[in-house]
């Protein structure tokens, strides 16, 4: 893969359906146009700093496995394994399952029989189980037409990726290009279709309304047990669950480092270009929302404008915007854009994730067969199919959405640890070849650690239902790691000689 394909993986993995829906929940919590944009800018700054920092690690260690390798080399094999364990169990596979089911649900706009409520085999519903602030269970198990559609596209894309990285990259290039065009089209809609009511409500004369509720002394309501009032920095950190999740998976390109041409140049460049373009479009999309719909709304209202951004039907803000622009056809246009987005996202994550489990197997920390490459395609075919099997099981279990809620915190913790690893490697391997050095080191990587740590502390306090289960899932990997090490099921070895860079 060259620079274009690597950048397509970065952008394709990031651009899911999150940007089209999470702004509704964020706006209900923030209740301020300025803070909504500020929250997305915080996400953009953190993500770009993270990408620039990862660029040094990627250029220094251009091996299959990416972040798993960086953690292994800087902090030790246990930390690498815990990341790979969580990635396989939930982060990668759960995201693929969730995005795949979203594909099925939006396909239902064109084919109503495809629906999460159209059951082909309903096994049952797991009852709610309250554990402190957490509510577990409450998911339906079985096969409906939406998750069947997800399984079909996951199977198709897994099969395509077994034919070689060129095939997977070609699919990614096409769908990433289409997704970027869809986001650009959304931005252009905001330039052409500007609603006077929304402009007056969200901006007002001299942008007075835009800054309403964004003062440093303003207190914001946060629900935890009862209502608790918090300051600006805290409320912006609380809503990062939505914006960070929508911007996640940018690191997936590092998993495929062993198959990228000139990785010491192309990996840092793809990370910088891909994250910057996508996050710019994300911020612009939120300005589009504010120019077409009022932020505040009534959940019981009948019209799109009266419901506003906060109470857009089923939180589909982008769909509401398109309905305003193209009455009668907006929902179909938005559904088509989301289908393109989700299809490319699934492909990029399937392609990338399999390389991590492959690298783990080569280190003796996963099934031995997963560490073998196909003689014909030089791809980790067994790893792709193991990933496929677990992802399909998550689709049927109905647990993927809940599991993803639980691991957002864990994902952020692993980002912090990886950037800490950058500092560690600067000290322990000062003479190692570094074709690219992290921009702004040590200030910008240090700023990322401070910002991400603050968000983690806030989430531990105000979003316990999203944090403690994630920590438990990660810690469950410790005894599993000890078992793998004791059994020594495979001999670790450098995987690069077997990888074909294309």
């Amino acid at each position: 893969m060259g620079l274009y394909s690597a950048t397509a993986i970065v952008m394709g993995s990031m651009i899911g359906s999150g940007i089209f829906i999470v702004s509704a929940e964020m706006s209900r919590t923030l209740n301020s146009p300025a803070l909504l944009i500020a929250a997305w800018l915080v996400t953009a700054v953190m993500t770009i700093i993270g990408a620039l920092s990862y660029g040094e690690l990627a250029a220094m260690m251009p091996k299959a496995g990416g972040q798993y390798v960086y953690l292994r080399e800087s902090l030790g094999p246990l930390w690498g394994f815990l990341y790979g364990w969580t990635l396989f169990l939930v982060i990668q596979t759960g995201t693929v399952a969730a995005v795949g089911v979203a594909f099925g649900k939006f396909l239902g706009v064109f084919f109503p029989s495809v629906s999460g409520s159209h059951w082909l085999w309903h096994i049952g519903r797991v009852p709610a189980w309250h554990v402190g602030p957490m509510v577990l269970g409450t998911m339906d198990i079985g096969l409906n037409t939406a998750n069947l559609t997800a399984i079909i596209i996951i199977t198709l894309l897994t099969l395509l990726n077994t034919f070689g990285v060129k095939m997977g990259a070609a699919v990614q290039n096409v769908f990433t290009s289409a997704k970027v065009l869809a986001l650009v089209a959304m931005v252009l809609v905001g330039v052409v279709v500007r609603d006077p009511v929304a402009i007056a409500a969200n901006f007002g004369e001299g942008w007075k309304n835009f800054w309403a509720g964004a003062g440093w002394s303003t207190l914001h309501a946060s629900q935890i047990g009862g209502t608790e009032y918090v300051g600006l920095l805290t409320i912006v950190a609380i809503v990062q669950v939505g914006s960070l999740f929508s911007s996640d998976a940018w690191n997936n390109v590092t998993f495929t480092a062993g198959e990228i041409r000139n990785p010491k140049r192309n990996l840092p460049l793809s990370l910088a270009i891909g994250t910057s373009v996508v996050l710019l479009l994300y911020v612009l999309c939120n300005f589009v929302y504010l120019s077409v719909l009022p932020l505040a709304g009534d959940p019981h209202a009948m019209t799109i404008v009266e419901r506003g951004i906060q109470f857009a039907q089923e939180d589909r803000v982008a769909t509401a915007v398109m309905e305003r622009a193209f009455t009668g056809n907006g929902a179909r246009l938005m559904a088509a854009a989301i289908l393109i987005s989700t299809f490319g996202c699934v492909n990029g994550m399937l392609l990338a994730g399999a390389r991590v489990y492959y690298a783990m197997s080569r280190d003796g920390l996963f099934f031995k067969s997963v560490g073998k490459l196909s003689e014909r395609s030089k791809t980790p075919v067994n790893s792709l199919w193991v990933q496929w099997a677990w992802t399909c099981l998550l689709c049927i279990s109905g647990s993927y959405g809940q599991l993803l809620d639980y691991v957002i915190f864990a994902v952020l913790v692993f980002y912090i640890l990886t950037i800490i690893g950058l500092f560690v490697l600067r000290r322990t391997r000062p003479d190692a070849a570094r074709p690219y050095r992290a921009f702004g080191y040590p200030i910008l990587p240090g700023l990322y650690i401070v910002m991400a740590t603050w968000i983690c502390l806030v989430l531990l306090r105000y979003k316990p239902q999203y944090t403690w289960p994630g920590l438990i899932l990660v810690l469950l990997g410790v005894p599993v790691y000890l078992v793998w090490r004791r059994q020594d099921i495979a001999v670790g070895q450098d995987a690069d000689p077997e990888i074909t860079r294309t």
Side-chain angles (χ1 to χ4, degrees):
M1 290 186 289
L3 176 60
Y4 183 82
S5 294
T7 305
I9 291 177
V10 176
M11 299 172 72
S13 298
M14 288 178 68
I15 307 172
S17 56
I19 181 60
F20 302 125
I21 58 176
V22 299
S23 289
E25 183 176 354
M26 291 171 67
S27 65
R28 289 195 293 270
T29 302
L30 296 167
N31 205 31
S32 163
L35 291 187
L36 177 64
I37 297 300
W40 282 99
L41 287 175
V42 168
T43 294
V45 169
M46 287 183 60
T47 302
I48 292 172
I49 291 175
L52 293 173
S53 300
Y54 272 50
E56 176 172 322
L57 298 169
M60 181 182 174
M61 295 175 281
K63 301 178 180 180
Q67 188 169 345
Y68 161 77
V69 174
Y70 313 153
L71 286 165
R72 182 193 69 194
E73 295 299 312
S74 61
L75 303 181
L78 172 61
W79 294 103
F81 175 81
L82 290 179
Y83 174 70
W85 153 266
T86 313
L87 192 82
F88 176 76
L89 199 66
V90 179
I91 297 173
Q92 199 80 356
T93 53
T95 302
V96 171
V99 174
V101 173
F103 179 94
K105 290 180 178 179
F106 279 96
L107 189 63
V109 173
F110 301 97
F111 304 99
S113 61
V114 181
S115 166
S117 59
H118 186 174
W119 290 97
L120 303 175
W121 179 34
H122 188 219
I123 299 173
R125 181 174 178 82
V126 178
W129 177 32
H130 295 268
V131 182
M134 303 175 290
V135 180
L136 308 178
T138 72
M139 60 273 195
D140 287 292
I141 301 174
L143 189 68
N144 55 53
T145 49
N147 61 29
L148 175 60
T149 302
I151 290 171
I152 290 171
I153 68 163
I154 291 167
T155 303
L156 172 64
L157 290 172
T158 297
L159 181 62
L160 286 175
N161 276 282
T162 63
F163 291 113
V165 71
K166 286 185 177 180
M167 175 67 75
V171 172
Q172 196 62 31
N173 292 346
V174 171
F175 280 88
T176 296
S177 299
K179 288 189 291 185
V180 171
L181 289 174
L183 279 176
V184 170
M186 170 67 74
V187 173
L188 293 177
V189 165
V191 174
V192 177
V193 183
R194 304 182 68 187
D195 188 271
V197 174
I199 296 294
N202 295 330
F203 298 96
E205 186 176 351
W207 286 47
K208 180 180 179 180
N209 293 348
F210 180 79
W211 296 105
W216 288 101
S217 59
T218 305
L219 294 179
H220 304 267
S222 173
Q223 299 293 330
I224 174 171
T227 300
E228 184 171 331
Y229 289 89
V230 299
L232 184 149
L233 293 180
T234 300
I235 200 68
V236 170
I238 288 173
V239 300
Q240 290 299 305
V241 168
S243 53
L244 282 173
F245 175 72
S246 298
S247 306
D248 195 26
W250 52 267
N251 62 328
N252 273 214
V253 71
T254 68
F255 304 163
T256 65
E259 295 155 287
I260 293 175
R261 289 196 306 268
N262 194 7
K264 295 179 180 180
R265 169 186 175 272
N266 289 338
L267 271 174
L269 272 177
S270 66
L271 284 164
I273 295 170
T275 54
S276 298
V277 170
V278 170
L279 288 160
L280 174 62
L281 289 171
Y282 278 8
V283 173
L284 290 176
C285 277
N286 278 275
F287 272 110
V288 169
Y289 299 161
L290 292 171
S291 69
V292 178
L293 298 173
L295 182 81
D298 180 356
H300 306 295
M302 300 302 293
T303 68
I304 292 173
V305 173
E306 289 174 342
R307 293 184 70 91
I309 293 173
Q310 291 179 335
F311 300 103
Q313 192 72 33
E314 297 186 26
D315 286 350
R316 296 174 185 171
V317 183
T319 301
V321 168
M322 295 297 282
E323 279 289 294
R324 285 287 292 163
F326 305 100
T327 305
N329 294 312
R332 285 177 172 267
L333 288 170
M334 197 66 249
I338 292 175
L339 287 175
I340 293 169
S341 176
T342 51
F343 193 86
C345 184
V346 168
N347 181 70
M349 298 195 76
L350 288 173
L351 185 154
R355 273 66 182 174
V356 177
Y357 322 132
Y358 165 80
M360 291 173 66
S361 176
R362 303 291 292 182
D363 289 339
L365 296 175
F366 207 58
F367 302 110
K368 185 176 180 179
S369 62
V370 171
K372 296 180 180 179
L373 295 175
S374 165
E375 293 185 5
R376 178 180 54 82
S377 62
K378 298 300 180 185
T379 56
V381 171
N382 291 342
S383 183
L384 282 163
W385 286 117
V386 168
Q387 177 181 246
W388 166 84
W390 180 248
T391 304
C392 290
L393 182 63
L394 289 179
C395 287
I396 295 172
S397 73
S399 64
Y400 49 84
Q402 194 173 86
L403 290 172
L404 283 175
D405 287 341
Y406 295 161
V407 299
I408 298 304
F409 174 79
V411 169
L412 198 55
V413 169
F414 281 120
Y415 282 144
I416 294 171
L417 289 172
T418 304
I419 294 180
I420 288 174
L422 174 66
F423 286 87
V424 172
L425 289 171
R426 283 284 186 107
R427 179 176 57 83
T428 59
R429 301 186 189 179
D431 300 324
R434 290 179 170 84
Y436 164 83
R437 289 179 173 265
F439 179 78
Y441 179 92
I443 295 174
L444 290 184
L447 177 63
Y448 181 96
I449 293 172
V450 170
M451 294 174 71
T453 300
W454 169 249
I455 292 171
C456 285
L457 292 174
V458 169
L459 293 180
L460 280 169
R461 172 69 178 86
Y462 295 99
K463 291 278 189 178
Q465 71 272 31
Y466 292 109
T467 53
W468 296 108
L471 283 177
I472 292 169
L473 282 170
V474 173
L475 294 176
L476 285 174
V478 174
V480 178
Y481 169 79
L482 296 175
V483 169
W484 282 110
R485 296 297 288 180
R486 188 177 297 114
Q487 290 183 347
D488 192 26
I489 64 168
V491 178
Q493 54 185 296
D494 193 311
D496 276 352
E498 298 183 44
I499 290 284
T500 300
R501 299 187 188 278
T502 58

